[in-house]
Amino acid sequence: MKTLYKNNRKLFALVFSLILVFSILELGKAYLMGELLGLNMETKKLVGLIVLTIVFLLVYTLIDSGKQLAVKRLENKIRYDLQQRCVRTILQEDPASFFRKDSSTLINDLTNKINEIVEKYIHSQIQMTALIVSFAAGSIYIAALCWPILIFLYILAGMGLLGNRFFFVPLQKREKALLVQKEKWIQTIKNFYDNFMFIKNEHYEKTYFDLLRSGSENLHETYNKADSLLMASDAINNGFGQYMFLGTIGIGALFVHFQMLTIPLVLAIMQVTNMVVNPLFQFATFRNRIESSRFLIEDMEQMMKEINAHIQHETTSISQLDTISFEHLDFAYSPDHLVLKDIDLTFRRGCKYLIVGESGQGKSTLLKLMLKQIPCANVVADGIPLSSITYSSYFSHIAYVSQSFALFPVSLKENIVLGRHINVEDVLDHVGLHDLISRKEEVFENDRTALSGGQMQRIMLARALASDKNWLVLDEAFSAVDEATRKRLERSMLEEKEKTIITISHKTDAITAAMYDTILLVENRTVRPISLEEYISQHV
């Protein structure tokens, strides 16, 4: 949080200055009210005072509006800074850690959590600063006129603050429960979107509506629980405020009776009393909000620390990549689910590998281990444990095309070249997307693009080719492409002698398979080389 304040010191200074000026104007307002209600005032003086009051109210309104605008600007800037800081940190994370989180958690972190931090933690801290300034100014004013009233206000306020301590822990528990329910609701909406077609096709609307209603009711109930406790603490604080207000009137009446104060001064004190009473109890309210939302800041800081700690383990950069080896690797997703056993295998630069096998045998797991998507001590690159190699240096040599594909919200050209100075028209032509050359400047801003699955997959292949990296890893990269295009593209890649090609495929024809140096069969938790003849007899 110190970094956020430091980065916005000018805005903070502006907000504080306006808060200070506004508190002085509040004292001026109390003085004017006392003067206006003073008895036996000459007409000329009254007219002059009315004119002064009109001018004063204009200045008061302008300063108040400026203060509120500055506070809002500061909160929005902090929200922006938090988002940037989170995204910058997450972008340093490796896929193995990143994909352990559900996408709903990421959405929640970058939306709900940040909004809660700004709206409850930051807003409350800014308001508490304003309250402290107001409290100090009001206390000095009242102490100068009638210190017993100030002592009375302090005693009741202390009692109120003590009572508020009982709300801290319950409020924090309910805020955490609310955040969990918000995350669950996001997941429910995502699931609804992903399954909408099947809901309609299978006439599942009524059942799914009940699921949505149940999720919505849980969120609604959690909101009510969190709000009810907060409102209860606010109600108690307001009750104390009423006692303080009436007590001030009573003490003021005594002082007037004994001619120690005039009625205009008592009225001015009552007005200024709000500058002491309101801060004391609003301070308690805002403190409750800060304490109930403090865990959000702690969670965010912890997330950033964990990512940074993991990055520090990756200390080695590699300038070239000659081999990737699995050294007697055993891998299981759980103790009773062994996927790969005693894998001893080396992929060498410049060689072509075709990986085949039935679904569920571990082909994609093998690639995930190779691509740092799953951490493992038994995978090494040029003799160096993969876990200690920096992600950026490792993937400066590897281009990867997965089974899934998504476009960035930028132009088609930028989706392929990714900042490189490359003739995108040649690349599009090479992958058979001549018809998209005229659309190269079109921006794709959401997932519902007017492109077929085959076109999307060839864009991913075009991106990999445009990167011109020496290692090319293809995981069912031709599954949505027609057979003729698949053969042409796959064979043209295999003809590049300097390229290392590692392909997982279910439909490679015999002629293309013969162009690979090694065909690996993943079967029964093992990986073994097979001959072209064996591949043809089993898979073609």
Side-chain angles (χ1 to χ4, degrees):
M1 292 308 300
K2 290 180 181 178
T3 304
L4 291 173
Y5 294 138
K6 186 177 178 181
N7 291 343
N8 296 287
R9 62 169 72 92
K10 289 184 179 179
L11 263 176
F12 269 109
L14 175 62
V15 168
F16 183 80
S17 299
L18 290 170
I19 286 172
L20 185 60
V21 172
F22 185 73
S23 294
I24 294 171
L25 290 174
E26 285 282 359
L27 294 177
K29 186 173 72 172
Y31 169 77
L32 284 173
M33 188 183 81
E35 287 294 311
L36 284 169
L37 295 176
L39 301 176
N40 303 319
M41 185 183 296
E42 295 179 2
T43 304
K44 185 177 180 181
K45 185 179 178 182
L46 179 61
V47 172
L49 198 57
I50 290 172
V51 172
L52 178 62
T53 302
I54 292 171
V55 174
F56 174 85
L57 289 176
L58 178 62
V59 175
Y60 181 92
T61 303
L62 288 173
I63 294 296
D64 187 28
S65 300
K67 176 174 70 79
Q68 293 183 44
L69 178 61
V71 168
K72 187 56 66 177
R73 288 269 178 91
L74 178 58
E75 289 175 357
N76 288 338
K77 180 60 167 55
I78 290 175
R79 180 183 284 107
Y80 170 82
D81 287 348
L82 279 172
Q83 288 172 339
Q84 298 308 300
R85 188 179 174 196
C86 283
V87 170
R88 194 178 297 114
T89 303
I90 290 169
L91 283 172
Q92 297 179 64
E93 197 171 15
D94 64 276
S97 303
F98 181 83
F99 286 115
R100 279 200 291 267
K101 296 191 288 278
D102 184 79
S103 60
S104 299
T105 303
L106 179 63
I107 294 170
N108 197 48
D109 286 346
L110 294 178
T111 54
N112 286 333
K113 268 192 178 181
I114 289 177
N115 286 334
E116 292 284 306
I117 288 171
V118 172
E119 292 167 10
K120 292 188 176 176
Y121 191 88
I122 300 298
H123 179 78
S124 297
Q125 285 203 333
I126 294 171
Q127 294 304 316
M128 281 178 67
T129 302
L131 294 175
I132 290 169
V133 173
S134 174
F135 174 79
S139 294
I140 292 170
Y141 187 90
I142 294 175
L145 295 176
C146 185
W147 62 265
I149 289 178
L150 187 65
I151 297 300
F152 167 75
L153 296 176
Y154 282 1
I155 291 172
L156 276 188
M159 294 170 59
L161 290 172
L162 187 63
N164 270 273
R165 293 182 64 84
F166 295 104
F167 287 97
F168 289 170
V169 174
L171 276 170
Q172 190 169 90
K173 286 182 179 178
R174 294 195 181 186
E175 284 297 324
K176 286 183 177 180
L178 179 59
L179 201 64
V180 169
Q181 285 300 328
K182 284 181 178 180
E183 189 172 322
K184 287 182 178 179
W185 180 244
I186 290 172
Q187 180 60 50
T188 301
I189 298 301
K190 281 179 72 271
N191 184 274
F192 174 58
Y193 181 88
D194 292 339
N195 290 290
F196 185 78
M197 183 179 70
F198 303 103
I199 292 169
K200 299 297 291 183
N201 291 352
E202 302 301 325
H203 306 293
Y204 204 57
E205 292 94 336
K206 185 180 184 305
T207 304
Y208 209 92
F209 174 78
D210 291 339
L211 289 172
L212 289 171
R213 183 178 60 188
S214 174
S216 180
E217 286 174 352
N218 289 337
L219 181 61
H220 176 71
E221 184 180 344
T222 311
Y223 261 120
N224 284 341
K225 285 181 178 179
D227 290 342
S228 62
L229 194 59
L230 202 56
M231 292 304 103
S233 72
D234 288 351
I236 291 173
N237 292 335
N238 289 333
F240 269 99
Q242 294 301 316
Y243 281 115
M244 294 167 84
F245 180 74
L246 292 173
T248 300
I249 294 175
I251 296 172
L254 285 174
F255 272 70
V256 170
H257 178 74
F258 291 105
Q259 296 183 350
M260 298 173 68
L261 284 175
T262 63
I263 290 177
L265 280 178
V266 171
L267 292 173
I269 289 173
M270 287 176 60
Q271 178 67 27
V272 175
T273 297
N274 292 329
M275 295 179 66
V276 177
V277 174
N278 290 344
L280 284 169
F281 283 103
Q282 287 181 30
F283 188 92
T285 297
F286 286 122
R287 188 180 175 196
N288 286 342
R289 283 175 166 82
I290 287 173
E291 292 301 323
S292 69
S293 58
R294 189 181 298 278
F295 76 95
L296 296 168
I297 293 284
E298 293 169 354
D299 284 354
M300 185 170 289
E301 294 291 346
Q302 183 61 30
M303 180 263 291
M304 292 179 180
K305 283 180 182 178
E306 288 175 358
I307 292 175
N308 290 327
H310 181 81
I311 293 167
Q312 290 173 4
H313 290 299
E314 296 183 343
T315 56
T316 306
S317 294
I318 54 174
S319 58
Q320 65 178 42
L321 181 60
D322 294 322
T323 62
I324 301 174
S325 302
F326 294 79
E327 298 180 339
H328 301 288
L329 176 138
D330 291 341
F331 179 78
Y333 286 106
S334 61
D336 57 347
H337 184 206
L338 188 64
V339 179
L340 298 169
K341 181 175 177 58
D342 195 28
I343 306 301
D344 199 37
L345 176 66
T346 296
F347 295 93
R348 301 186 184 280
R349 181 179 178 179
C351 297
K352 315 296 190 281
Y353 301 88
L354 175 62
I355 302 174
V356 298
E358 297 296 324
S359 296
Q361 291 296 311
K363 300 186 300 298
S364 292
T365 299
L366 194 70
L367 287 194
K368 287 179 180 179
L369 288 161
M370 177 193 299
L371 298 172
K372 287 174 72 74
Q373 294 179 17
I374 301 175
C376 182
N378 297 74
V379 186
V380 299
D382 293 343
I384 304 168
L386 210 56
S387 57
S388 67
I389 297 175
T390 61
Y391 196 87
S392 58
S393 71
Y394 186 60
F395 275 87
S396 65
H397 306 285
I398 299 175
Y400 171 52
V401 182
S402 68
Q403 298 180 42
S404 58
F405 25 83
L407 297 178
F408 301 121
V410 293
S411 69
L412 174 60
K413 175 184 176 181
E414 183 58 25
N415 261 288
I416 294 170
V417 302
L418 300 181
R420 303 180 184 92
H421 298 291
I422 296 166
N423 189 335
V424 72
E425 295 181 8
D426 291 343
V427 182
L428 286 170
D429 189 60
H430 181 68
V431 297
L433 291 175
H434 345 276
D435 53 326
L436 292 184
I437 291 175
S438 60
R439 298 175 63 187
K440 66 182 181 182
E441 300 301 335
E442 184 176 335
V443 176
F444 300 96
E445 295 182 347
N446 56 53
D447 297 334
R448 293 171 292 176
T449 58
L451 297 172
S452 68
Q455 287 175 316
M456 290 279 283
Q457 196 162 53
R458 278 179 283 173
I459 290 172
M460 298 301 105
L461 286 165
R463 180 186 294 170
L465 294 173
S467 70
D468 197 30
K469 296 177 181 178
N470 288 326
W471 290 66
L472 188 57
V473 180
L474 309 171
D475 186 3
E476 296 291 352
F478 305 102
S479 58
V481 177
D482 64 89
E483 184 66 6
T485 302
R486 194 240 354 131
K487 287 180 181 178
R488 181 179 62 79
L489 287 175
E490 192 171 1
R491 290 174 188 178
S492 69
M493 292 177 185
L494 292 167
E495 287 170 355
E496 295 189 48
K497 294 183 179 180
E498 293 298 317
K499 296 281 188 187
T500 307
I501 309 291
I502 302 172
T503 304
I504 288 180
S505 177
H506 282 100
K507 61 177 187 179
T508 300
D509 62 284
I511 295 174
T512 307
M515 298 176 71
Y516 284 91
D517 299 306
T518 304
I519 302 175
L520 297 169
L521 175 64
V522 182
E523 186 179 53
N524 298 326
R525 304 187 184 93
T526 64
V527 181
R528 64 180 179 90
I530 61 174
S531 65
L532 179 63
E533 290 73 21
E534 186 177 354
Y535 170 76
I536 293 171
S537 66
Q538 294 183 11
H539 297 87
V540 178

